[in-house]
Amino acid sequence: MTELGAITRRDVVGGIGMGLAAASMPALAATPGRKIGYAIVGLGSYATRQIMPNFVGCEHSRIVALVSGTPAKLEQYGAQYGVPKTHWYNYGNFDRIRDNPDIDAVYIILPNSMHAEYTVRAAQAGKHVMCEKPMAISVAECETMIAACRKAGKKLMIGYRSRFEQYNRLAIELARGGHVGPTQIITAEHGFYARPNQWRLDRPLSGGGSLMDIGIYSLNATRYLTGEEPVEVVASESTDKSDPRFATVEDRINFLLRFPSGVAATCVSSYSSAHNSYRVIGTQGYIDMEPATPYEGHSMRIRKDGQVTQRTLPPAAKTQWAGQLDHLSEAILNGTDVIVPGEEGLADMRVIEAIYRSAREGRAVKVQA
Amino acid sequence: MTELGAITRRDVVGGIGMGLAAASMPALAATPGRKIGYAIVGLGSYATRQIMPNFVGCEHSRIVALVSGTPAKLEQYGAQYGVPKTHWYNYGNFDRIRDNPDIDAVYIILPNSMHAEYTVRAAQAGKHVMCEKPMAISVAECETMIAACRKAGKKLMIGYRSRFEQYNRLAIELARGGHVGPTQIITAEHGFYARPNQWRLDRPLSGGGSLMDIGIYSLNATRYLTGEEPVEVVASESTDKSDPRFATVEDRINFLLRFPSGVAATCVSSYSSAHNSYRVIGTQGYIDMEPATPYEGHSMRIRKDGQVTQRTLPPAAKTQWAGQLDHLSEAILNGTDVIVPGEEGLADMRVIEAIYRSAREGRAVKVQA
């Protein structure tokens, strides 16, 4: 997903054919070992403001190609990142990435409804795939994507950046290790005030509202903090249909999850209020993160034996984005597995479908395993 | 309810008859105006540690009689509060309070399942009633209690102490006044680790588990922070039935509420983890209370325009308990209405029944108005 700003429709549809004459890549900063070459697919806000600037901190990852429907963006970012015209693509000629051996992998940062198509096309072009979350807009699409990458013998990883962020990693370790006793309850809240006129408010592009965007952070956190899959979901939606932002997608959709161990989670997903927190409450205290999944400025407090302490970590060696990129690159280079493969995106999507069904039908819904 | 400690069964059943010879009350501390005389019904932990010590800060309320099934407690607290033997009662001779003109009102601090009976008997004895929350263990009981007090022409007030606590009052004012924009979401969490072998874990006495005890704080907060009645509830229970504490009552029961204005609330109720907080999230920020409803040490933080500030109030003139007692006393003295009458307890109970039904039947439940 693209948390900030908007990818315009113009950015993702249409596009102009470009010359594809082969040309050698410009020299990149010298680093030991081979770097995996990425084609950035979609030059919206999240790609250009977060992902691309973070390649500079990568050991094993570099930008080698750009894909956009907007020629001016290719010009701008091609110049900024030293990507020659020969390595520019649009959505019409995308499949020609097959013929470019500099491209090892693609990073798909498009509106949600385009994830499946471009993942499948990238796999068929013989490329590994990093795909933003939510992985797609349905369980069926996720399964198609996984099958396509498996058939092509290519890796598929979903952009769950928080799994490469040190406070979240520590929270996972502490929660699963029973640092505050066995986990009893997790509360997770994510939301922001969505400005009008963005692709995220347009169901054909987004596949849904806040849950398919910021709300997935609440859901995913409950899963990574427990290491379990929820067995049952109940949800409640509150959307002001007179608000033009919500003509096609939901605003607030809160949900309760029950996990096999008995952990109970309460989750907030909102397009009308700001939230970024989770708390793991065990029998002996809690692990509190607020903000929990920001770009920077994570804050962890632990309550144990009646004392609340702030837990501060030294600066990380890599940003969460550099860590995420290098994780896939190392998996490609070493033939190892990624920790957030397509199956992880699929697992979230199964719960998301259950949440929507629960809210729509007014009943508890079992999550399909 | 009695948050700390336990009233034993011995305290609430059986009991020994006591002499009821009339005697004049000892002189109490001189204060201006008449003080309403209360009979304390039930001398458990909450009564003896919280309620009774707080009469000292009251302007219009005094302890004039004690009701207990434990003679030693009558001796102990009779001596401590200067209540003579003539003003001691047990559950067998309770109805004789009718003949004691010093008693204007009773304060019922018994296990939940006894609230209805003793409220009705007190009203029939011509006394006003303060009754602890939850008001009773069913909507039907609440309706019977309201009818009995109405028929007797006596006031009925429920012990919602937070309504007489200044941080909660400020939170209500700020939330309803739109200080952080119109409220979008309320999160409310209450819980504690319930020790075994207490009346609160015995359904015939408690009527239910965490929701009938600490969880009502989460529910009631969403109602007083909005000033609205929820229209629909979904709930999810998680109880380890192999834990002997939970042979007859629920452990965790979380619930989502939807209000007419669109406000969505997520609520935690737990007997296995410690929680005491709520947060009102509007379009422009939040009002955060943690702890929200403690005996003391309330803490309020407000986030607005991106800035988080701690809001500290000067010490209150009266404790929440003294404020609560004097509120009923003033209503009796002046013939005014109380802000938390039986109808307020009934409204909570309607939602509680809906929550239990939702969790049991696995479906959304409309709240009966």
Side-chain angles (χ1 to χ4, degrees), chain B residues 227-280:
Chain B
E228 298 178 41
E229 296 302 328
V231 291
E232 193 178 77
V233 171
V234 295
S236 178
E237 183 193 332
S238 184
T239 302
D240 177 1
K241 284 294 178 192
S242 73
D243 184 329
R245 296 182 299 156
F246 304 124
T248 65
V249 300
E250 82 279 0
D251 174 9
R252 287 155 286 170
I253 187 161
N254 300 335
F255 49 99
L256 307 177
L257 304 173
R258 206 156 42 75
F259 289 84
S261 63
V263 171
T266 72
C267 298
V268 165
S269 172
S270 175
Y271 262 167
S272 287
S273 43
H275 312 250
N276 191 312
S277 63
Y278 62 67
R279 186 179 289 195
V280 178

Side-chain angles (χ1 to χ4, degrees), chain A residues 28-38 55-64 102 104 326 329 333:
Chain A
L28 289 165
T31 51
R34 186 164 92 80
K35 286 194 170 187
I36 295 298
Y38 284 82
F55 274 87
V56 74
C58 291
E59 295 172 87
H60 308 293
S61 314
R62 61 177 187 155
I63 299 171
V64 297
D102 293 330
D104 299 296
D326 274 351
S329 298
L333 290 168

Side-chain angles (χ1 to χ4, degrees), chain A residues 183-185 187 189 193 232 234-238 251-252 254-258 262-270 272-275 277 279 281-283 286 290 301 362-364, chain B residues 183-185 187 189 193 232 234-238 251-252 254-258 262-270 272-275 277 279 281-283 286 290 301 362-364:
Chain A
T183 301
Q184 301 297 312
I185 286 181
T187 60
E189 292 140 34
Y193 192 89
E232 193 177 78
V234 295
S236 178
E237 182 193 333
S238 186
D251 174 9
R252 286 155 286 170
N254 300 334
F255 49 100
L256 307 177
L257 305 173
R258 206 156 41 75
V263 171
T266 70
C267 298
V268 165
S269 172
S270 175
S272 287
S273 43
H275 312 250
S277 64
R279 185 179 288 194
I281 305 99
T283 52
Y286 62 65
E290 183 169 21
R301 292 180 313 147
R363 63 179 181 88
Chain B
T183 301
Q184 302 296 313
I185 286 179
T187 61
E189 292 139 35
Y193 191 89
E232 193 178 77
V234 295
S236 178
E237 183 193 332
S238 184
D251 174 9
R252 287 155 286 170
N254 300 335
F255 49 99
L256 307 177
L257 304 173
R258 206 156 42 75
V263 171
T266 72
C267 298
V268 165
S269 172
S270 175
S272 287
S273 43
H275 312 250
S277 63
R279 186 179 289 195
I281 305 98
T283 52
Y286 63 64
E290 183 169 20
R301 293 181 312 147
R363 63 179 182 86

Side-chain angles (χ1 to χ4, degrees), chain A residues 1 3-4 46 50 54 133 160-168 189-192 214 217-218 221 224 275-278 288-300 319-321 324, chain B residues 303:
Chain A
M1 58 150 264
E3 285 96 341
L4 296 175
Y46 189 60
Q50 302 303 329
N54 273 288
K133 63 192 173 306
Y160 288 106
R161 60 181 168 79
S162 294
R163 295 294 296 275
F164 303 93
E165 188 284 312
Q166 60 176 355
Y167 283 92
N168 280 277
E189 292 140 34
H190 284 81
F192 62 87
I214 191 71
Y217 283 86
S218 291
Y224 63 68
H275 312 250
N276 191 313
S277 64
Y278 62 68
D288 183 279
M289 291 267 283
E290 183 169 21
T293 62
Y295 289 169
E296 57 186 0
H298 297 74
S299 178
M300 177 185 278
T319 65
Q320 55 191 319
W321 297 279
Q324 175 182 301
Chain B
R303 181 185 167 98

